[in-house]
Amino acid sequence: MIEPDNERQERLLEMTQFLSRLVVFGIAFQVVTILLPATPGFQALYAELISRLLQPIGDAAHAGIQVSYNGIDYIISQDCLGWKSWFALSGLVASSFNRTPRWRVAGIAGGLAAVAVLNTVRVVSTVILADAGLGFDTLHTVTWRWGMTLSVLLLWVTWYTKGGSP
């Protein structure tokens, strides 16, 4: 039972509610992961975008979901689209019920745009740095996987601290 005017208990309750909503969102994420349809059309469009962004820097082309850069082929998989990062950020924003609904919708929309830009920087820079001799696996698996995770967290903290309180 929460005692009236007990700020600590109120904050604990708020945190518990936030974490509960986040768990529900996580369960929804798992369902989406299982049911997500194939996305070769989106992957091919993204491969074309990545190829066009790489063309001023080196010899870049694309065919379907494959991007060739300076003679090396890269596959744009479904995970390259950045959907998991957007889903995670949306979950954090949507679970923050102590922010106005309008602020949450703005956070999700702005988050989609920010994640799309950051993800594109991630993919392009991974190709360029791998071409420069840095290890692709390290760049892709360690640096950028954790980099996107940190980016999502920082985007949420920034959004959360900017306002939108009821």
Side-chain angles (χ1 to χ4, degrees):
M1 179 120 167
I2 296 180
E3 298 172 12
D5 299 323
N6 188 328
E7 186 177 327
R8 182 172 184 263
Q9 285 184 347
E10 288 176 15
R11 290 183 59 116
L12 285 172
L13 176 62
E14 185 178 297
M15 184 185 310
T16 302
Q17 290 171 333
F18 170 78
L19 291 173
S20 298
R21 287 187 290 270
L22 201 56
V23 166
V24 170
F25 213 83
I27 292 168
F29 173 77
Q30 292 302 319
V31 170
V32 167
T33 300
I34 293 167
L35 301 177
L36 189 67
T39 56
F42 289 119
Q43 290 165 245
L45 285 171
Y46 199 60
E48 181 178 356
L49 172 66
I50 297 302
S51 174
R52 287 177 187 246
L53 291 171
L54 289 168
Q55 284 172 352
I57 303 164
D59 181 26
H62 77 282
I65 64 171
Q66 181 175 306
V67 173
S68 297
Y69 183 71
N70 293 338
I72 305 292
D73 295 331
Y74 301 90
I75 300 297
I76 301 297
S77 70
Q78 192 173 52
D79 287 345
C80 291
L81 299 174
W83 72 274
K84 289 179 181 176
S85 296
W86 182 76
F87 205 94
L89 181 59
S90 296
L92 289 165
V93 170
S95 297
S96 301
F97 271 40
N98 60 345
R99 298 294 184 250
T100 65
R102 184 176 181 150
W103 186 247
R104 284 181 294 179
V105 168
I108 291 171
L112 174 59
V115 167
V117 169
L118 286 169
N119 188 63
T120 301
V121 168
R122 173 187 77 90
V123 173
V124 169
S125 66
T126 298
V127 171
I128 292 169
L129 293 171
D131 184 63
L134 296 172
F136 176 82
D137 287 335
T138 301
L139 289 167
H140 182 265
T141 306
V142 177
T143 306
W144 270 114
R145 184 172 292 165
W146 287 106
M148 284 303 286
T149 300
L150 181 61
S151 296
V152 164
L153 182 60
L154 291 175
L155 284 169
W156 177 71
V157 167
T158 301
W159 168 85
Y160 191 84
T161 58
K162 289 289 181 192
S165 298

